């Protein structure tokens, strides 16, 4: 594997819609997306799609990855079953490998203490406050936030989330990054010409 491999965490109740823009355009730009489950057993997304993970979490090594993506899921709110993924995020960040978390995954990172000292966003500030974390002063009211190797976004911002992923990995830059966002977020037809140039 190379740093062109991105790992996508998958688990029961995984929020299907939150990573489609990011993963599709990463693959179209030469990246490989590999799915990671708690185990190698199949999972079922919130939309009822069955996914067979490519590998189990205990086989995941930051040295083999360019990014770990964590999505929302009902399970982030119903116990600590997904806590091992927040632990993996810590391992990635400690190794200098980026982590991108959207929706409920931000609460998992908050519980792990990973948002205490990093600028971040989520669904709402009070959503994260309910985790008992100490990072309230670092909360930013924005569609998506990048602080070094950590990307966060709220549940209604999959396009902004993808934009930050692309910027961090150098997939699109400058005018092309802006055009990609305007095309997919704002439906701006003028952006297509810039993106396809």
């Amino acid at each position: 594997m190379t740093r062109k491999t991105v790992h996508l965490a998958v688990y029961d109740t995984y929020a299907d819609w939150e990573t489609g823009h990011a993963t599709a355009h990463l693959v179209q730009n030469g990246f490989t997306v590999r799915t990671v489950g708690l185990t190698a057993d199949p999972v079922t997304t919130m939309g009822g799609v069955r996914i067979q993970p490519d590998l189990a979490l205990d086989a995941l090594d930051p040295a083999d990855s360019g990014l770990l993506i964590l999505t929302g899921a009902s399970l982030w709110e119903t116990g600590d079953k997904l806590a091992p993924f927040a632990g993996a995020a810590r391992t990635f960040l400690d190794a200098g490998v980026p982590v991108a978390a959207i929706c409920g995954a931000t609460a998992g990172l908050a519980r792990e203490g990973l948002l205490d000292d990093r600028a971040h966003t989520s669904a709402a500030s009070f959503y994260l406050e309910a985790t008992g974390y100490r990072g309230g002063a670092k909360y930013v009211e924005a569609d998506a936030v990048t602080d070094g190797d950590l990307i966060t976004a709220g549940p209604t911002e999959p396009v902004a989330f993808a934009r930050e992923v692309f910027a961090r990995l150098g997939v699109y830059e400058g005018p092309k990054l802006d055009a990609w966002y305007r095309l997919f977020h704002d439906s701006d037809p003028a952006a297509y010409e810039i993106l396809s140039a």
Side-chain angles (χ1 to χ4, degrees):
M1 276 182 279
T2 69
R3 291 295 184 151
K4 294 281 266 188
T5 298
V6 168
H7 288 92
L8 172 65
V10 294
Y11 22 75
D12 287 328
T13 72
Y14 158 91
D16 312 59
W17 61 93
E18 293 177 343
T19 60
H21 286 91
T23 56
H25 288 271
L26 286 169
V27 169
Q28 290 173 18
N29 284 280
F31 286 79
T32 298
V33 176
R34 297 196 71 210
T35 54
V36 183
L38 282 170
T39 68
D41 294 335
V43 299
T44 303
T45 70
M46 202 174 289
V49 177
R50 191 173 159 97
I51 297 176
Q52 178 71 54
D54 294 315
L55 70 153
L57 187 58
D58 62 6
L60 180 62
D61 185 341
D64 296 331
S65 188
L67 174 73
L68 174 63
I69 301 175
L70 302 172
T71 70
S74 300
L75 290 178
W76 286 111
E77 307 304 321
T78 58
D80 60 0
K81 184 173 183 180
L82 299 184
F85 285 105
R90 177 179 293 284
T91 301
F92 267 63
L93 292 170
D94 287 349
V97 180
V99 172
I102 185 169
C103 189
T106 62
L109 298 188
R111 288 186 199 96
E112 182 71 17
L114 296 175
L115 305 184
D116 289 350
D117 301 311
R118 294 176 173 94
H120 61 276
T121 194
S122 184
S125 58
F126 61 83
Y127 172 69
L128 293 182
E129 287 168 9
T131 68
Y133 88 131
R134 298 187 313 263
K138 293 291 213 170
Y139 188 87
V140 179
E141 290 288 350
D143 54 8
V145 172
T146 298
D147 185 341
D149 287 328
L150 181 65
I151 298 165
T152 53
T156 61
E157 299 296 343
V159 177
F161 181 67
R163 176 195 63 208
E164 297 302 301
V165 167
F166 301 153
R168 182 63 187 80
L169 296 181
V171 175
Y172 300 119
E173 297 174 325
K176 281 206 172 186
L177 181 64
D178 176 65
W180 184 91
Y181 183 75
R182 287 189 293 116
L183 180 63
F184 288 95
H185 187 266
D186 303 328
S187 300
D188 179 356
Y192 180 78
E193 291 181 22
I194 298 167
L195 193 60
S196 59

